[in-house]
Amino acid sequence: MRREYLLGNEAIARGCLEAPVDFVTGYPGTPSSEVIDILRGIPERGYYVEWSVNEKVALENALAAAWCGLRALVTMKHVGLNVAADPLMTSAYTGVTGGLVIMSADDPFAHSSQNEQDSRCYALFAKIPCLDPSTIQEAHDMARDAFSLSEQFGLPVIFRPTTRICHSKGDTITGEPAKNTRKGEFHKDPKQYVVIPAHTRVLHRKLNEKQPAVKKALVENGYNKAVIRGPRAVVASGIAAAYVEELIPDDVSLVRIGAYPVDEGWLRDQVRRHESVLVVEELHPVVEEIVRQVSGGVPVSGKKDGLVPWEGELSTASVASILKSFGIEPRETYPPAVPVADLPPRPPILCAGCMHRPVFYAIRRVFKDGIFPSDIGCYTLGLQLGAVDTTLCMGAAVTVASGLSHAGEKREIVATIGDSTFLHSGIPGLINAVYNGARMILVILDNRVTAMTGHQPNPCSGTTATGAPSPQISLEAVCRACGVQWVETVDPYDLVSTMATLRAAAEQPGVKVVIARQPCVITARRANIRRGRFEVDREACTACGVCIGFGCPAIERGEEDKARITDLCSGCGVCAQICPAGAIRKERRKEGRR
């Protein structure tokens, strides 16, 4: 055993190695992505690891491995669990032989997500255990122990760290990675694995019969515990439990909920020892609803009387304020954060030289009155360029565009989606659009990588998660196989050609696909692709601002309001194509510059 200063996701990966895990799948999604990135980067692996094309595929692969007796981990962010919900709900019925841990990382405050949903609700819905760490040490320990818990009850286990756990660092006591010795083997048992109605009814009853023992074990294993020391108590879960423990005085009891389902009898005994109870948790009032059910008349405060917010992320400062409102004087108070004066707003923007920017520019120029559904990825930032009108979930750009078409919208509908997202869940939508005769243009922004979550490879990249060579999927062939009759590929850095192709697409009937392909500017830089830089001829510049309006962070206003190109320039050259005065040109090599 040793003490290490680890990132939360690093601690989780270490816990999986100590289990040990035999089979790893997942789809990238902040804040979960680093776990597989760490596991796939270990050179001497005794386990299988893959980036899957979506969360449903990842879970079904991992479930099959667990049926074969292996210990399997599948990772995703909370919204990914929606994609995997279909196999999740039935996996509780079929159960597992080896351990199956489903890491669904929640994102309170929606730092990088489209909603703030709570994975604990899925666990309750599916009737499977859920482990909810409050510290990085707990995250490590729970990730390690979740496999045994899964095998003990023959059930998948949801492991639910939040952003503040995944992306914080802390001292962690770790052990040694264990050696993989298991060999996967599937044993046929149709009554367990073929969910026809006659089997399902039996499996559902067996699932319900497991629940009391699961609840009891979670208390016996120390995941749910209480320290009784006064007439008032705080019941807390997840990261909020760590904040409460840091703040409450010695005469206030603390009940920590680290796992679900909660044993109602045990919780009733803790709650009814007190004169009043406060429940502190992030997102849905999962714990509070159970506390209110068992309180027996003990006054309960929390979200339902407005003391604790229903949305957003808690902090030590906000929890201190909640405690004061409940009548508990916290051991620490925190002054309100005061923004730095005159600090300019810095919204997230596309990188300098990003291939998405000229595509959005071309779409806006060609279709001034168009409607622009888009999707989840870096390109969602096209919102700031006026080229994103809707974003819903992975793959919805295609289906929303199709729906707008069938709703009778006469304006041109131009949807944008990334290559990874198209492979994730865009293909069924495209098949549906073609099959049902939609009228739309789909632009696939193909940068050959899953960029937004940390440049994980995908089937367009040419390598697997472990770096092994893999056939590159032909998006053109996929689109044609979906029934699209008109498919064209463009270089987005060639603005004239891109705009001409978009105009040509508008002349065609039905569903048209334009594939805009350039490598991500970050991966291109890592691959040592150098295009040189551009500069502004100050004599020729008229300070018209057209290049500034293009939105590239490498272009700024200099003296006399004239444009200036900074060292951020990656040499894409699109700004030179849009300058009406012809004032932007390839930089002349300067003496001493390599």
Side-chain angles (χ1 to χ4, degrees):
M1 307 232 326
R2 56 186 171 187
R3 181 184 296 273
E4 297 181 84
Y5 187 60
L6 298 178
L7 182 74
N9 277 344
E10 193 176 8
I12 291 166
R14 292 291 296 272
C16 293
L17 292 174
E18 292 169 32
V21 68
D22 302 301
F23 195 96
V24 181
T25 65
Y27 186 79
T30 306
S32 71
S33 306
E34 291 88 352
V35 174
I36 286 188
D37 277 335
I38 293 166
L39 291 173
R40 73 189 176 107
I42 295 174
E44 299 297 328
R45 290 182 299 274
Y47 50 86
Y48 172 80
V49 60
E50 72 171 36
W51 280 122
S52 310
V53 295
N54 68 33
E55 295 85 355
K56 179 178 183 291
V57 171
L59 176 53
E60 289 164 350
N61 267 281
L63 178 61
W67 284 348
C68 291
L70 299 182
R71 288 189 162 182
L73 169 74
V74 53
T75 74
M76 61 194 72
K77 66 184 298 179
H78 60 303
V79 288
L81 197 52
N82 300 332
V83 180
D86 199 355
L88 170 72
M89 303 307 290
T90 307
S91 69
Y93 284 44
T94 66
V96 293
T97 305
L100 174 58
V101 178
I102 303 164
M103 175 181 169
S104 177
D106 282 2
D107 187 18
F109 195 64
H111 291 280
S112 58
S113 308
Q114 62 266 43
N115 68 36
E116 292 186 281
Q117 71 186 54
D118 193 325
S119 295
R120 295 177 300 170
C121 299
Y122 264 118
L124 295 173
F125 193 21
K127 299 179 181 178
I128 61 176
C130 175
L131 302 183
D132 187 15
S134 62
T135 65
I136 293 171
Q137 182 69 61
E138 272 194 359
H140 166 273
D141 297 348
M142 286 180 169
R144 178 195 61 205
D145 298 341
F147 296 94
S148 298
L149 181 68
S150 173
E151 290 169 356
Q152 181 181 354
F153 293 100
L155 290 173
V157 171
I158 288 182
F159 173 62
R160 180 245 187 190
T162 56
T163 300
R164 201 56 59 179
I165 295 289
C166 294
H167 287 169
S168 296
K169 281 192 165 186
D171 283 348
T172 311
I173 305 297
T174 62
E176 292 298 322
K179 189 174 181 181
N180 300 81
T181 58
R182 300 182 181 213
K183 301 295 181 186
E185 183 177 2
F186 182 71
H187 297 281
K188 294 184 179 183
D189 185 358
K191 291 185 177 179
Q192 191 73 31
Y193 301 128
V194 182
V195 285
I196 60 174
H199 297 167
T200 293
R201 295 172 193 128
V202 176
L203 294 171
H204 192 186
R205 177 169 49 78
K206 289 182 177 179
L207 174 62
N208 289 330
E209 290 172 350
K210 292 179 180 178
Q211 300 304 307
V214 173
K215 295 175 182 177
K216 184 179 178 184
L218 296 179
V219 176
E220 292 175 346
N221 291 347
Y223 297 127
N224 297 332
K225 54 192 174 186
V227 178
I228 308 300
R229 52 194 180 190
R232 296 173 298 177
V234 179
V235 184
S237 68
I239 190 74
Y243 299 151
V244 170
E245 185 173 31
E246 185 175 322
L247 293 169
I248 57 172
D250 293 338
D251 61 347
V252 176
S253 301
L254 173 59
V255 181
R256 296 177 71 118
I257 304 298
Y260 310 83
V262 178
D263 185 323
E264 293 91 345
W266 170 83
L267 185 61
R268 181 189 61 232
D269 292 343
Q270 314 311 318
V271 169
R272 294 189 184 181
R273 297 184 192 186
H274 299 89
E275 296 174 0
S276 60
V277 173
L278 169 67
V279 183
V280 183
E281 62 189 319
E282 290 178 327
L283 301 182
H284 194 77
V286 173
V287 174
E288 184 177 339
E289 288 178 353
I290 306 170
V291 170
R292 288 182 180 276
Q293 290 169 15
V294 303
S295 64
V298 175
V300 178
S301 287
K303 295 178 186 292
K304 297 199 172 185
D305 62 357
L307 218 60
V308 180
W310 284 70
E311 63 286 326
E313 189 177 38
L314 295 175
S315 65
T316 46
S318 62
V319 171
S321 176
I322 292 166
L323 292 173
K324 288 192 75 167
S325 299
F326 184 66
I328 296 175
E329 190 61 33
R331 289 190 294 203
E332 300 284 345
T333 57
Y334 302 88
V338 179
V340 177
D342 301 325
L343 197 63
R346 298 179 63 187
I349 57 174
L350 295 169
C351 299
C354 175
M355 59 152 277
H356 303 333
R357 183 177 288 103
V359 175
F360 287 133
Y361 180 87
I363 290 172
R364 288 284 293 146
R365 287 290 301 273
V366 173
F367 306 108
K368 292 183 171 60
D369 191 35
I371 304 175
F372 311 124
S374 193
D375 225 292
I376 308 293
C378 299
Y379 42 89
T380 310
L381 299 174
L383 172 68
Q384 297 166 17
L385 301 173
V388 173
D389 290 328
T390 71
T391 302
L392 182 64
C393 60
M394 298 284 281
V398 189
T399 40
V400 167
S402 174
L404 291 169
S405 167
H406 292 303
E409 181 56 60
K410 301 302 181 191
R411 289 170 287 182
E412 200 65 58
I413 301 164
V414 187
T416 49
I417 189 171
D419 53 326
S420 181
T421 310
F422 176 69
L423 297 172
H424 176 283
S425 50
I427 294 173
L430 183 59
I431 294 171
N432 186 70
V434 174
Y435 173 59
N436 290 294
R439 178 191 58 81
M440 55 183 276
I441 299 171
L442 175 64
V443 181
I444 302 178
L445 302 158
D446 180 14
N447 60 9
R448 309 266 97 184
V449 75
T450 310
M452 191 179 197
T453 49
H455 298 89
Q456 291 83 10
N458 66 46
C460 289
S461 304
T463 59
T464 67
T466 58
S470 176
Q472 287 184 304
I473 293 293
S474 166
L475 295 178
E476 291 85 349
V478 169
C479 293
R480 291 192 178 99
C482 290
V484 181
Q485 299 295 309
W486 196 92
V487 180
E488 292 289 334
T489 302
V490 299
D491 175 358
Y493 290 164
D494 184 344
L495 201 56
V496 173
S497 175
T498 299
M499 293 172 66
T501 303
L502 289 171
R503 291 191 187 96
E507 299 298 319
Q508 302 297 319
V511 178
K512 294 82 63 174
V513 172
V514 177
I515 300 171
R517 179 174 296 139
Q518 269 287 345
C520 167
V521 68
I522 294 176
T523 53
R525 187 179 301 126
R526 290 173 180 168
N528 206 29
I529 296 175
R530 297 288 185 267
R531 299 187 180 90
R533 294 174 178 166
F534 281 72
E535 63 182 1
V536 178
D537 181 343
R538 282 184 47 77
E539 297 301 318
C541 179
T542 62
C544 67
V546 170
C547 60
I548 300 292
F550 181 57
C552 178
I555 308 174
E556 61 184 21
R557 289 191 184 276
E559 295 178 10
E560 300 175 349
D561 245 11
K562 294 189 176 183
R564 189 171 75 89
I565 295 179
T566 71
D567 288 345
L568 293 175
C569 178
S570 66
C572 73
V574 178
C575 56
Q577 299 174 52
I578 66 173
C579 175
I584 300 178
R585 64 192 181 196
K586 194 92 172 182
E587 186 181 58
R588 295 169 183 165
R589 183 179 293 271
K590 296 178 181 176
E591 189 175 349
R593 172 173 285 180
R594 288 188 292 176

